[in-house]
Amino acid sequence: MVIVPVMVVMSGALAFSAFTGTITTNVNADAGYLLWEQSVTSTYTYEHNTMVQNSSTSMGATNQTMASTVTLSVSNLAPGNWVVFNITVTNNGSVGFILGVGTITTTETAGLTNNSTSSSTFVFGSALGGYGYYYAVNEISGFGTSIDVGSTATYQVFVGLGALSGNAYEESSFTVSIPITVTSDP
Amino acid sequence: MNKKAFALIVVPLMMVMSGALAFSAFNGTITTNVSASAGDMTFSMGSEIHGSYFHNTFLTVTGGNGENTVILTGSNVVTGSSLATVPVSGGAKTIVYWLNISNLAPGNWVGFTFTLVNTGSVGLIFNTPTIGTVVFDPATSPPDLNLTNATLARDSQGPSTSLFQLGQPLSDSSLGVLFANNYQATNGGQGQSGYVFAFGNGGPTFSNFQKSRDLDNSADFNFYVGLSSGAGNGYEESSISIPIIITVVSDP
């Protein structure tokens, strides 16, 4: 019987081989997105025997991003009439956001003596007094605070024509533009 | 057998995020534009004859304003005949409706139904009709021509009944309040023989006035003009024109 010793020699002179492997860590960073929808949930009109028309029934809830404009209209006001729109903004995106109200601007038919006035919501009780158009924006909930996905914020917009407005206001028109800022929550 | 030590070199990999980087946020804007516009307020006024009393007298009845005037004469002065609708189309904010009756004999009278219609797009309220400055013809010749308001007058039987009764002449007993005459327009005082007018018949009827009327809705009232049976010869060939004034206000 011959025993042949098997020797394993690892010599420094030999090229050193090692098992090698690589862990590759892929870090994918996807950004979320802003997406919201705005809808008119209810309206109320103060009028008597006047067919005040408003467009809220045709305003469906559609998703919007970045800059978007929504237009509501109410027509055929008589002096003293007013309308309130109750509006809801829903976060349909993937990141939280914060809502704020920017600088409100107005335009009116040229030549009216009293144009339009920003007022508190208290003036919109029974018949709206005063001269000219009046408006108010009332934040109900969810403004200035983080809104997470699926949550909502609500606000109201009042517009009306003062009861003392004279015949010069017949068939006049007025627009209030309300920018609602949407900012992702860091 | 030589063993060589493995030397493991671990190079820590650090990721550093520096606070010096600028932080940007996703942002967007919803602009909500709310537009409002006002309606318009107008109405129209028309009339028709609903009764009269005269025999073998050629009356001329004129109603309307300016070019929009209808003249009924003779056999056309009958129940159901229409006078002008003011304005012809659309509507107006203020309407003055002129009513002229001429060639009345003492005791003759004509009754009218006036209809006001909301022709605008907003609700409105019709204020109770009033009479403006009447015009007498002749304007100054004697004797004095009088116009009496018999709206709340009592007849000889006491409580107010119709002074303008179908089939009956206009008497001058217990007439109402002197409204105007052609020497000096005065109100008040006991009524006198002469021209007489009255709203309603036995009392004013303004059931749809001072209340909101919507588009196409109406308000109506009756109006009577006559020459009392006691009017003397001084009224021969005279006539009178009466402006009926309606004002409206939109309903808040």
Side-chain angles (χ1 to χ4, degrees):
Chain A
M1 179 174 35
V2 178
I3 297 174
V4 178
V6 175
M7 295 186 293
V8 177
V9 175
M10 296 191 72
S11 167
L14 290 173
F16 189 84
S17 294
F19 294 140
T20 64
T22 303
I23 302 171
T24 300
T25 301
N26 290 320
V27 178
N28 293 317
D30 291 332
Y33 58 92
L34 286 177
L35 191 67
W36 60 82
E37 66 178 52
Q38 175 168 265
S39 62
V40 176
T41 53
S42 67
T43 63
Y44 170 77
T45 302
Y46 181 91
E47 55 80 25
H48 292 102
N49 282 320
T50 294
M51 288 285 287
V52 176
Q53 320 269 353
N54 79 67
S55 66
S56 64
T57 55
S58 64
M59 180 188 176
T62 58
N63 282 326
Q64 300 152 328
T65 60
M66 312 324 279
S68 59
T69 300
V70 168
T71 299
L72 303 171
S73 65
V74 54
S75 61
N76 203 47
L77 295 173
N81 294 164
W82 54 269
V83 178
V84 57
F85 298 91
N86 293 295
I87 302 169
T88 298
V89 181
T90 304
N91 184 349
N92 284 345
S94 67
V95 301
F97 62 56
I98 299 173
L99 299 177
V101 179
T103 301
I104 296 172
T105 58
T106 61
T107 57
E108 307 88 14
T109 300
L112 297 178
T113 58
N114 206 43
N115 293 335
S116 61
T117 305
S118 171
S119 64
S120 73
T121 60
F122 291 110
V123 304
F124 298 95
S126 55
L128 177 63
Y131 295 89
Y133 289 97
Y134 289 79
Y135 64 94
V137 179
N138 186 30
E139 301 168 14
I140 300 293
S141 66
F143 279 73
T145 185
S146 190
I147 305 294
D148 61 1
V149 175
S151 290
T152 61
T154 58
Y155 67 103
Q156 296 174 305
V157 178
F158 294 78
V159 290
L161 184 62
L164 299 179
S165 304
N167 291 345
Y169 281 85
E170 281 190 308
E171 298 180 300
S172 65
S173 61
F174 156 78
T175 298
V176 55
S177 183
I178 306 156
I180 307 289
T181 58
V182 185
T183 307
S184 59
D185 186 15
Chain B
M1 177 174 73
N2 294 327
K3 293 183 179 176
K4 300 291 181 184
F6 285 91
L8 292 175
I9 300 175
V10 176
V11 177
L13 181 64
M14 292 185 294
M15 294 181 66
V16 176
M17 293 199 69
S18 166
L21 291 174
F23 186 84
S24 297
F26 296 145
N27 61 81
T29 305
I30 311 167
T31 299
T32 300
N33 290 321
V34 181
S35 296
S37 64
D40 70 294
M41 181 186 71
T42 57
F43 71 104
S44 69
M45 182 172 179
S47 74
E48 68 173 39
I49 294 174
H50 84 251
S52 60
Y53 185 87
F54 60 91
H55 294 99
N56 290 318
T57 297
F58 193 89
L59 291 183
T60 299
V61 176
T62 305
N65 189 308
E67 293 181 355
N68 186 15
T69 296
V70 169
I71 302 174
L72 300 173
T73 58
S75 59
N76 292 319
V77 182
V78 291
T79 297
S81 293
S82 295
L83 297 167
T85 295
V86 178
V88 172
S89 62
K93 295 191 196 330
T94 59
I95 293 179
V96 178
Y97 198 100
W98 284 93
L99 201 58
N100 174 276
I101 321 289
S102 60
N103 206 46
L104 291 162
N108 291 168
W109 58 266
V110 182
F112 305 86
T113 298
F114 283 89
T115 301
L116 311 169
V117 179
N118 179 355
T119 57
S121 64
V122 301
L124 59 73
I125 297 171
F126 292 109
N127 293 317
T128 305
T130 56
I131 302 295
T133 302
V134 303
V135 176
F136 293 96
D137 181 21
T140 59
S141 298
D144 207 0
L145 302 178
N146 296 316
L147 174 66
T148 296
N149 181 356
T151 301
L152 298 176
R154 297 294 192 259
D155 65 8
S156 57
Q157 271 78 55
S160 177
T161 57
S162 170
L163 291 178
F164 298 89
Q165 289 190 43
L166 282 176
Q168 297 293 323
L170 174 63
S171 72
D172 61 358
S173 59
S174 303
L175 289 177
V177 175
L178 179 65
F179 183 84
N181 63 45
N182 61 338
Y183 281 152
Q184 47 188 18
T186 59
N187 294 315
Q190 184 61 45
Q192 300 177 42
S193 294
Y195 290 105
V196 180
F197 77 86
F199 285 100
N201 197 11
T205 54
F206 300 122
S207 58
N208 287 321
F209 286 77
Q210 306 302 137
K211 62 171 65 171
S212 189
R213 309 305 291 161
D214 62 0
L215 180 62
D216 292 333
N217 262 4
S218 62
D220 48 54
F221 65 95
N222 292 332
F223 187 77
Y224 300 82
V225 180
L227 184 66
S228 68
S229 57
N233 291 345
Y235 283 84
E236 285 186 304
E237 297 183 287
S238 69
S239 69
I240 187 167
S241 296
I242 301 175
I244 303 173
I245 300 172
I246 308 290
T247 59
V248 292
V249 63
S250 58
D251 185 18

